[in-house]
C-alpha cells in the first residue's frame, strides 16, 4: 500500500541550529513529493516539491530537500533555523494527478 | 495570504442542523479538493473534483455532500453530523495542468458539532 512516513513527531531545537526532517515513501512507479508547512493558525503552504530532474530541490525560506530514489527518501533540511520556523511540517506524495497523501507531520519548535 | 477563500472561518452546528461550507478560487485551477484535518493529525482527503466532475470520493459518509457549481466554487453540504465530525475542513485547488502540480490550500473552516 502507498504510504508516507515521517521519522520524528516532535523536534525541539535552538535558533541557528541545523534542521533535518526525515520522510520516506512507499509508492510504486512515478512519485511526486512535496513538503508543506503549517504555521500556527495559518493555512498549509508549499515549501518545495520534486517532480523530476535535479534531486536536490530548493524551496522557499531557505529550505531544501533531497530526493534519494534508492532510499525512498525525501528529507527536508535547513542549515540555520529561526524562531519563525516554528510550525508543523508535512511530507506528502502523490502518484497521480492530485490524490495527495500526507505523512503524520512533525511539530518543530525553535527556541530563542 | 492564501488565494483559496473558505467561508465561514468557524461554524458551530447541532446534530440536526443543515449547513454548508464554501470554497472559492480564481486562479483558473481545474481541480478542487476537500480535506478533513483533526487536531495533531495530517489532512485526510475526502473528495476531488476535476473539471467540475467528482473524480474521487474517499468513502465519505453521505452526511457530507460535495457540490461543484462551477470551476471556481466548491461547496460541502453538511447534514446530521456527529460530534466526531468536528475538525478543520480544508479546501484546496490545483491547476492539474501537469503531473506534480501542487495543491493550494485555504485557511479552512473550523467546524464544531454539538
Amino acid at each position: 500500500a502507498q504510504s508516507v512516513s515521517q521519522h520524528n513527531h516532535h523536534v525541539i531545537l535552538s535558533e541557528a541550529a541545523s534542521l533535518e526532517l526525515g520522510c520516506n515513501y512507499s509508492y510504486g512507479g512515478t512519485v511526486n513529493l512535496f513538503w508543506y508547512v503549517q504555521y500556527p493558525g495559518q493555512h498549509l503552504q508549499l515549501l518545495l516539491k520534486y517532480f523530476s530532474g535535479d534531486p536536490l530541490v530548493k524551496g522557499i525560506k531557505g529550505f531544501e530537500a533531497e530526493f534519494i530514489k534508492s532510499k525512498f527518501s525525501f528529507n527536508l533540511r535547513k542549515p540555520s533555523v529561526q524562531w519563525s520556523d516554528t510550525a508543523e511540517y508535512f511530507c506528502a506524495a502523490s502518484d497521480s494527478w492530485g490524490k495527495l497523501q500526507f505523512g503524520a507531520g512533525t511539530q518543530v519548535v525553535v527556541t530563542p | 495570504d492564501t488565494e483559496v477563500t473558505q467561508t465561514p472561518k468557524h461554524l458551530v452546528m447541532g446534530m440536526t442542523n443543515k449547513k454548508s461550507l464554501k470554497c472559492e478560487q480564481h486562479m483558473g485551477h481545474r481541480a478542487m479538493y476537500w480535506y478533513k484535518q483533526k487536531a495533531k493529525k495530517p489532512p485526510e482527503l475526502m473528495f476531488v473534483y476535476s473539471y467540475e466532475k467528482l473524480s474521487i470520493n474517499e468513502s465519505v459518509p453521505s452526511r457530507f455532500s460535495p457540490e461543484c457549481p462551477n470551476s471556481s466554487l466548491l461547496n460541502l453540504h453538511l447534514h446530521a453530523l456527529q460530534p466526531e465530525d468536528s475538525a478543520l475542513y480544508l479546501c484546496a485547488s490545483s491547476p492539474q495542468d501537469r503531473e506534480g502540480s501542487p495543491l493550494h490550500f485555504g485557511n479552512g473552516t473550523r467546524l464544531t458539532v454539538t
Side-chain angles (χ1 to χ4, degrees):
Chain A
Q2 297 167 342
S3 66
V4 179
S5 62
Q6 293 182 236
H7 303 164
N8 311 95
H9 294 297
H10 226 96
V11 171
I12 302 174
L13 62 168
S14 302
E15 276 190 313
S18 64
L19 173 70
E20 180 160 1
L21 302 181
C23 174
N24 286 93
Y25 63 91
S26 173
Y27 273 68
T30 302
V31 63
N32 306 303
L33 297 160
F34 308 83
W35 275 98
Y36 281 86
V37 61
Q38 192 169 29
Y39 298 104
Q42 294 191 28
H43 63 282
L44 280 159
Q45 299 175 43
L46 181 69
L47 273 178
L48 46 79
K49 68 168 186 173
Y50 174 78
F51 167 46
S52 65
D54 189 344
L56 185 60
V57 180
K58 294 197 183 299
I60 61 171
K61 303 178 190 283
F63 286 91
E64 64 178 30
E66 186 174 12
F67 170 61
I68 303 179
K69 189 173 181 180
S70 60
K71 295 184 178 180
F72 299 93
S73 70
F74 190 56
N75 293 353
L76 180 72
R77 297 193 292 254
K78 185 169 183 177
S80 177
V81 295
Q82 302 172 316
W83 176 78
S84 57
D85 292 320
T86 294
E88 185 98 24
Y89 291 81
F90 293 99
C91 182
S94 70
D95 63 355
S96 58
W97 294 40
K99 188 171 178 179
L100 195 63
Q101 184 164 356
F102 287 87
T106 299
Q107 178 67 49
V108 173
V109 176
V110 180
T111 60
Chain B
D1 208 358
T2 178
E3 295 180 69
V4 178
T5 304
Q6 291 188 243
T7 56
K9 290 183 180 177
H10 300 275
L11 178 63
V12 179
M13 60 185 290
M15 290 189 285
T16 59
N17 292 159
K18 283 186 182 181
K19 297 286 185 184
S20 296
L21 309 185
K22 297 185 184 303
C23 176
E24 190 168 357
Q25 58 87 16
H26 294 288
M27 296 178 281
H29 289 176
R30 306 311 305 215
M32 295 186 77
Y33 311 77
W34 281 114
Y35 279 81
K36 174 182 177 180
Q37 187 178 21
K38 302 282 274 185
K40 308 292 185 187
K41 297 289 186 184
E44 295 177 355
L45 182 65
M46 299 174 73
F47 303 103
V48 180
Y49 272 83
S50 179
Y51 292 84
E52 299 164 47
K53 286 185 169 33
L54 183 65
S55 60
I56 296 176
N57 177 342
E58 290 288 287
S59 302
V60 179
S62 60
R63 57 186 184 269
F64 295 92
S65 175
E67 179 197 17
C68 189
N70 60 56
S71 60
S72 300
L73 296 174
L74 184 66
N75 298 323
L76 185 63
H77 303 298
L78 314 172
H79 174 54
L81 295 194
Q82 304 297 311
E84 59 264 29
D85 295 322
S86 298
L88 181 68
Y89 288 85
L90 296 166
C91 175
S93 69
S94 79
Q96 209 173 42
D97 51 357
R98 62 183 186 282
E99 193 163 357
S101 294
L103 272 61
H104 298 249
F105 285 87
N107 284 327
T109 293
R110 177 78 57 190
L111 174 68
T112 303
V113 181
T114 60

